[in-house]
């Protein structure tokens, strides 16, 4: 019996469970309430359940399930014939080190803010599944990213609950002497120390650097406090720990990565540490640069110049003074590496420029974004035409099994081996779909939407209770009164993402009368669910949230326009599986890729999006809808007006009629045809297994060079 309990506890120590449906059920079954309350964190869950209870419950069906899951876990860890072993053995022999300021792996590990982190999380999971020797590097943010509450006025309030290592599946990294492994990094005139934590993600390892240790001066302890917290000074310090600290950690562990992959420019300082090592070995500066370049690849994510990290010359000087002395590098040489114009080294230091200068290959994250990036950085390569600028693209994907839920997973398993197998190729997806009837797809849609609605009411009860302690019962009752209830019969639109203003969450409210006619149509109504966080310093984004909450309280929208607070990976999973249509309204071309629309596909959701990011590549006229045709206006108001018109017209003339058009068995056959089309054209392409295979073959294996 103790052996079984040991196995259960062992499963909690590797985030592999987070993408295995049956493993998640093992934890949830122990106590659905505690599972929900503890943010689906099995380490915390088991701290609340006594050994006596575990012994009593590890019997019969539960024990069988545990054995099955544990055997699958062991088989996974010991698998020899992985994709990498068969196709890229060099990437098994030597590790790839992937640096990212955030990783969104599971909602219980709050070291991410949004899309960039979710991408990194999905990347590391696919790298593990495919068998790459893969190491992630990030920071251990004690407070993580904030938890969002809305106050009575719909204004975002942030709080930062602490994350304790003992509640997470992390272990301290120790040296050969058994003591904590500590690395030392120079910042300004100080030595800053960091310890490291190890987090297992399937076969991959994620290292988290942590400066919150007594050896540090107090203002340096806070470096690893909040994801993207603080000012520019905090930012540069975080990036030094991530880049230079990360490179030092790998060195100290005796790891020799074949490739260093910088996910966004935040980690680009790692190149300085690699340069320093080469120079210390006696290489000339030119030779050192060539060596470093041959080992680094860089992915850029930001299609607007203002979004790139830049530091003033003064700040660079102040921060790097001692470090440069220690590695024997001139300050002006450093500035040259990060200046947009190498002849003017008195301006700003740009992390993207440093990363581009010291990587052998660089890429944007969609076809359109690759093009935009080549235009944006052409001035760094004045001898080249835009088309020759050495920035390619690999379009982002999602980790399919992480984004399918219990229902969807079981559904597709009836027709194919697993969702991974189904999305391996278009042929596989078509073969699975050929076995599924329209009735079955429609039944799946109803079940998923019912699940979402049930979830929303449980969630709202809690949310409204905090928001309106006085008028709570009133508000909640109004929302649930028969005429206002959400219904699975109704076309349901979802919109959830970071509330960066370019994503234009309130666009659909541009014309309230028109929206009222759409939502409250007597026979073809619509309901909309929103969620999203604004960055704590972004008052304009917070005002967008406030506007939506205000709209949701108008009598005509009450109970039909819902805002769910505290968007995170868990809420995202619920939403993408339940809604019929996923709405995406960025100002083109500001969405580098976007991935949330890729998450709904296997659930039978359809995308309705501006032709931005991944969507222009994926959209074929039959697998969803576009908002406009990529038209661009000089003036923001004009753009908004135009896009809103397009949005309403497509909704009224195409989406709503298609959804409510039924055959004699009450099945919307044209709608389901679109679902089938979306599954065969999107799911096999826009997933991270395909994406990581692309990175591996084209970038990690040196096959594509500048
Ligand atoms: C997928 C996801 C994102 C990214 O969505 P975009 O479409 O790229 O904006 C952000 N946050 C969470 C929690 C997600 O799951």
């Amino acid at each position: 019996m103790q052996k079984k309990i040991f196995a259960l506890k062992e499963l909690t120590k590797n985030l592999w469970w987070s993408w295995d449906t049956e493993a998640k059920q093992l934890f949830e079954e122990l106590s659905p309430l505690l599972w929900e309350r503890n943010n689906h964190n099995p380490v915390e869950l088991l701290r609340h359940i006594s050994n006596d209870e575990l012994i009593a419950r590890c019997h019969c069906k539960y024990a069988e399930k545990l054995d099955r899951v544990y055997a699958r876990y062991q088989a996974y860890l010991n698998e020899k014939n992985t994709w990498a072993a068969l196709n890229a053995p060099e990437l098994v022999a030597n590790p790839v080190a992937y640096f990212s300021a955030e990783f969104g792996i599971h909602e219980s590990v709050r070291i991410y803010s949004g899309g960039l982190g979710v991408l990194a999380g999905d990347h590391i999971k696919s790298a593990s599944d495919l068998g790459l020797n893969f190491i992630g590097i990030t920071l251990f943010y004690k407070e993580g990213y904030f938890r969002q509450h809305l106050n009575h006025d719909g204004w975002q309030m942030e709080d930062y609950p602490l994350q304790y290592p003992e509640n997470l599946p992390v272990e301290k990294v120790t040296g050969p002497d058994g003591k904590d492994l500590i690395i030392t990094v120079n910042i300004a005139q100080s030595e800053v120390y960091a310890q490291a934590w190890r987090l297992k993600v399937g076969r991959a390892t994620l290292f988290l650097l942590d400066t919150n240790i007594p050896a540090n001066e107090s203002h340096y302890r806070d470096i690893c406090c909040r994801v993207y917290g603080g000012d520019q000074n905090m930012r540069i310090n975080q990036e030094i720990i991530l880049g230079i600290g990360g490179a030092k950690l790998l060195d100290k562990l005796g790891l020799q990565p074949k490739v260093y992959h910088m996910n966004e420019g935040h980690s680009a300082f790692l190149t300085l540490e690699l340069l320093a090592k080469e120079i210390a070995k006696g290489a000339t500066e030119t030779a050192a640069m060539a060596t470093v370049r041959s080992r680094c690849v860089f992915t850029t994510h930001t299609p607007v110049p203002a979004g790139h990290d830049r530091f003033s010359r003064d700040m660079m000087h102040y921060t790097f003074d001692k470090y440069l002395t220690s590695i024997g590098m001139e300050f002006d040489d450093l500035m040259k590496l990060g200046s947009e114009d190498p002849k003017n080294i008195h301006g700003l230091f740009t992390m993207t420029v440093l990363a581009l200068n010291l990587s052998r290959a660089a890429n944007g994250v969609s076809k359109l974004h690759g093009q935009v990036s080549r235009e944006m950085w052409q001035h760094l390569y004045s001898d080249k035409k835009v088309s020759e600028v050495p920035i390619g693209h690999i379009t982002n994907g999602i980790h399919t099994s992480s984004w399918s839920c219990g229902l969807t997973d079981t559904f597709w398993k009836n027709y194919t081996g697993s969702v991974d197998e189904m999305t391996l190729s278009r042929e596989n997806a078509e073969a699975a779909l050929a076995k599924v009837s329209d009735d079955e797809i429609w039944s799946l849609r109803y079940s998923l939407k019912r699940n979402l609605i049930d979830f929303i009411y449980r969630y709202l009860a809690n949310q409204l209770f905090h928001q309106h302690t006085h008028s709570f019962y009133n508000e909640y009752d109004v929302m649930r009164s028969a005429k206002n209830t959400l219904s699975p019969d109704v076309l349901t639109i979802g919109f959830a993402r970071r509330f960066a203003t370019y994503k234009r969450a309130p666009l659909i409210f541009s014309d309230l009368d028109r929206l009222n006619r759409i939502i409250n149509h007597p026979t073809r109504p619509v309901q909309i669910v929103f969620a999203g966080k604004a960055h704590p310093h972004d008052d304009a984004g917070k005002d967008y949230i406030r506007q939506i909450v205000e709209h949701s309280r108008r009598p005509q929208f009450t109970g039909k326009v819902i805002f769910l607070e505290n968007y995170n990976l868990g809420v995202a999973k619920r939403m993408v599986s339940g809604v019929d249509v996923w709405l995406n309204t960025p100002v083109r071309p500001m969405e580098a890729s976007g991935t949330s629309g890729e998450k709904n596909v296997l659930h039978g959701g359809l995308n309705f999006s501006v032709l931005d990011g991944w969507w222009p590549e994926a959209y074929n006229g039959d697998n969803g809808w576009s908002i406009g045709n990529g038209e661009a206006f000089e003036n923001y108001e004009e753009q908004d007006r135009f896009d809103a018109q397009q949005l309403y017209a497509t909704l009224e003339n195409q989406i709503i009629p298609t959804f409510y058009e039924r055959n004699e068995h009450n099945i919307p056959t044209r709608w389901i045809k679109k679902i089938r089309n979306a599954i065969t054209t999107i799911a096999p392409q826009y997933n991270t297994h395909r994406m990581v295979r692309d990175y591996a073959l084209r970038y990690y294996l040196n096959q594509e060079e500048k």
Side-chain angles (χ1 to χ4, degrees):
M1 190 51 57
Q2 282 305 340
K3 228 171 120 186
K4 288 212 190 306
I5 292 170
F6 181 81
L8 186 66
K9 294 201 164 155
E10 201 183 322
L11 286 172
T12 68
K13 293 179 184 156
N14 184 324
L15 286 171
W16 172 84
W17 63 262
S18 70
W19 68 96
D20 186 274
T21 300
E22 223 181 9
K24 278 187 277 190
Q25 288 165 358
L26 273 181
F27 301 128
E28 181 170 13
E29 271 169 40
L30 285 176
S31 167
L33 182 74
L34 287 177
W35 180 242
E36 201 67 46
R37 280 211 185 139
N38 290 296
N39 211 9
H40 312 139
N41 180 340
V43 178
E44 256 188 289
L45 174 82
L46 288 191
R47 288 161 66 91
H48 291 284
I49 296 180
S50 71
N51 215 39
D52 288 352
E53 178 176 350
L54 289 179
I55 291 172
R57 294 185 65 183
C58 265
H59 278 294
C60 309
K61 285 256 182 301
Y62 190 86
E64 282 167 29
K65 192 183 241 179
L66 175 55
D67 289 346
R68 206 160 50 233
V69 171
Y70 191 70
R72 189 160 57 240
Y73 171 60
Q74 288 300 329
Y76 179 90
L77 293 183
N78 297 317
E79 170 71 54
K80 291 284 177 292
N81 291 322
T82 62
W83 175 86
L86 303 174
N87 298 280
E90 282 175 73
L91 299 178
V92 182
N94 302 294
V96 172
Y98 180 92
F99 285 63
S100 180
E102 44 171 324
F103 275 84
I105 301 168
H106 185 263
E107 58 266 28
S108 59
V109 187
R110 297 181 297 104
I111 53 172
Y112 67 95
S113 131
L116 184 75
V118 178
L119 179 79
D122 282 3
H123 192 125
I124 195 171
K125 289 173 188 170
S126 276
S128 163
D129 287 348
L130 295 173
L132 271 68
N133 184 347
F134 201 82
I135 296 164
I137 304 275
T138 193
L139 303 181
F140 187 5
Y141 303 99
K142 184 179 49 157
E143 297 186 358
Y145 199 54
F146 67 92
R147 190 166 62 185
Q148 178 195 54
H149 285 294
L150 300 180
N151 73 10
H152 189 74
D153 302 319
W155 192 254
Q156 169 176 298
M157 312 298 273
E158 297 107 24
D159 68 75
Y160 292 86
L162 289 179
Q163 323 196 68
Y164 296 97
E166 54 272 32
N167 285 336
L168 293 173
V170 293
E171 57 178 18
K172 246 188 222 174
V173 177
T174 51
D177 55 359
K179 293 199 183 125
D180 295 354
L181 193 96
I182 303 283
I183 54 141
T184 312
V185 180
N186 289 133
I187 296 182
Q189 298 306 320
S190 302
E191 295 199 321
V192 179
Y193 307 97
Q195 68 176 32
W197 300 85
R198 185 186 287 111
L199 178 71
K200 300 298 289 178
V201 186
R203 287 184 278 249
T205 301
L206 177 60
F207 289 108
L208 304 99
L209 288 163
D210 182 2
T211 58
N212 184 27
I213 52 178
N216 280 328
E217 296 164 53
S218 65
H219 57 287
Y220 289 126
R221 283 189 214 171
D222 287 342
I223 294 176
C224 299
C225 190
R226 296 179 178 180
V227 185
Y228 307 134
D231 54 11
Q232 278 292 92
N233 195 42
M234 175 64 84
R235 185 82 162 217
I236 198 170
N237 291 349
Q238 288 192 333
E239 297 188 355
I240 288 173
I241 298 295
L242 176 66
I244 298 177
K248 286 192 176 216
L249 175 70
L250 293 170
D251 208 31
K252 197 142 190 180
L253 291 169
L255 295 165
Q256 291 177 328
K258 177 176 172 57
V259 182
Y260 293 82
H261 185 170
M262 296 173 262
N263 185 42
E264 190 51 299
H266 305 125
S267 56
F269 289 141
L270 85 87
T271 57
L272 304 180
E273 184 61 20
L274 300 185
L275 277 178
K277 257 177 60 187
E278 292 307 308
I279 291 169
K281 278 194 257 167
T284 63
E285 207 158 299
T286 323
M289 285 193 33
T291 308
V292 173
R293 224 179 256 135
S294 73
R295 289 192 194 134
C296 294
V297 299
F298 168 52
T299 302
T300 177
H301 291 263
T302 314
V304 275
H308 291 258
D309 258 341
R310 290 182 168 83
F311 300 113
S312 72
R313 186 181 161 94
D314 282 352
M315 183 176 276
M316 289 297 291
H317 194 271
Y318 172 79
T319 313
F320 275 97
D321 199 22
K322 184 164 170 172
Y323 178 76
L324 290 178
T325 313
S326 77
I327 66 171
M329 190 188 223
E330 295 294 325
F331 179 65
D332 282 351
D333 289 337
L334 171 64
M335 287 305 291
K336 242 182 245 165
L337 291 174
S339 295
E340 297 209 23
D341 173 3
K343 288 194 233 35
N344 173 15
I345 54 171
H346 297 281
L348 295 172
F349 186 94
T350 304
M351 295 300 276
T352 302
V353 174
L354 174 64
L356 285 170
N357 277 334
L358 284 167
S359 53
R360 74 158 191 265
N363 70 291
V365 289
S366 68
K367 192 169 171 206
L368 177 62
H369 179 237
Q371 174 65 23
V372 169
S373 302
R374 285 189 288 280
E375 287 164 16
M376 193 157 79
W377 298 110
Q378 194 228 352
H379 62 280
L380 302 181
Y381 309 87
S382 47
D383 57 328
K384 288 188 164 56
K385 291 194 287 223
V386 169
S387 61
E388 297 165 349
V389 170
I391 302 177
H393 80 272
I394 289 183
T395 305
N396 285 344
I398 53 138
H399 184 253
T400 307
S401 44
S402 291
W403 290 102
S404 60
C405 62
L407 265 176
T408 315
D409 215 35
T410 318
F411 182 85
W412 293 116
K413 269 198 188 122
N414 288 332
Y415 308 103
T416 176
S418 67
V419 286
D420 278 342
E421 215 170 294
M422 167 160 174
T423 54
L424 204 54
S425 68
R426 185 167 173 155
E427 291 69 37
N428 286 15
E430 279 169 354
L433 272 173
K435 300 184 203 150
V436 189
S437 70
D438 282 4
D439 299 21
E440 286 164 315
I441 293 180
W442 197 230
S443 166
L444 173 70
R445 286 300 318 140
Y446 256 97
S447 311
L448 289 167
K449 220 190 303 181
R450 173 54 77 189
N451 269 359
L452 173 63
I453 291 172
D454 288 356
F455 164 75
I456 288 175
Y457 284 123
R458 283 200 309 276
Y459 198 80
L460 273 182
N462 199 22
Q463 169 175 336
L464 294 175
F465 187 74
H466 288 286
Q467 227 169 320
H468 315 264
T469 22
H470 300 299
S471 57
F472 164 69
Y473 290 104
N474 192 7
E475 179 103 9
Y476 193 57
D477 285 346
V478 171
M479 227 179 234
R480 299 205 64 173
S481 71
K483 92 176 187 352
N484 294 332
T485 13
L486 296 170
S487 160
D489 297 327
V490 174
L491 174 63
T492 306
I493 298 177
F495 180 106
R497 39 184 63 79
R498 288 181 305 114
F499 267 52
T501 45
Y502 78 85
K503 295 179 186 251
R504 296 189 296 186
L507 192 72
I508 197 170
F509 295 98
S510 305
D511 182 340
L512 291 181
D513 289 335
R514 197 160 173 187
L515 185 63
N516 181 22
R517 287 194 297 277
I518 291 172
I519 287 186
N520 291 304
H521 191 282
T523 54
R524 307 185 315 189
V526 170
Q527 55 202 11
I528 317 180
V529 187
F530 286 92
K533 292 174 174 176
H535 187 276
H537 298 158
D538 180 9
D539 278 353
K542 289 188 195 178
D543 194 60
Y544 277 7
I545 295 175
R546 189 200 56 74
Q547 286 175 33
I548 290 174
V549 172
E550 187 181 326
H551 291 312
S552 76
R553 291 191 187 142
R554 292 176 194 277
Q556 70 271 35
F557 298 145
T558 299
K560 296 163 188 165
V561 173
I562 305 281
F563 190 98
L564 299 176
E565 65 184 18
N566 200 35
Y567 184 51
N568 61 22
L569 283 166
V571 174
K573 262 171 244 178
R574 298 286 191 166
M575 286 183 66
V576 295
S577 60
V579 301
D580 298 300
V581 169
W582 193 252
L583 176 66
N584 185 33
T585 51
V587 178
R588 180 183 152 118
M590 294 176 77
E591 192 64 81
S593 167
T595 53
S596 57
E598 301 169 350
K599 299 168 187 166
N600 63 38
V601 174
L602 282 187
H603 306 284
L606 291 169
N607 280 285
F608 179 31
S609 169
V610 168
L611 285 174
D612 197 12
W614 71 288
W615 192 231
E617 274 164 75
Y619 177 59
N620 68 5
D622 280 324
N623 56 4
W625 295 272
S626 71
I627 298 172
N629 242 321
E631 297 86 347
F633 298 85
E634 285 290 311
N635 160 319
Y636 273 128
E637 278 110 60
E638 216 177 322
Q639 186 79 52
D640 288 357
R641 235 184 346 261
F642 179 85
D643 290 345
Q645 285 299 333
Q646 295 288 320
L647 189 164
Y648 289 128
T650 305
L651 199 52
E652 290 163 344
N653 305 330
Q654 297 184 43
I655 300 180
I656 295 172
T658 313
F659 181 84
Y660 285 105
E661 178 192 294
R662 304 296 161 94
N663 71 5
E664 64 277 22
H665 306 296
N666 202 28
I667 303 287
T669 46
R670 278 207 300 143
W671 186 270
I672 291 175
K673 204 161 159 231
K674 284 202 185 280
I675 293 179
R676 290 178 184 274
N677 223 307
I679 291 173
T680 52
T681 58
I682 298 172
Q685 190 60 25
Y686 299 91
N687 65 69
T688 43
H689 278 30
R690 187 275 308 155
M691 182 187 87
V692 172
R693 286 195 301 265
D694 280 355
Y695 275 110
L697 296 176
R698 290 174 46 197
Y699 281 38
Y700 300 161
L701 281 183
N702 229 338
Q703 292 176 3
E704 198 154 306
E705 295 191 40
K706 285 182 186 173

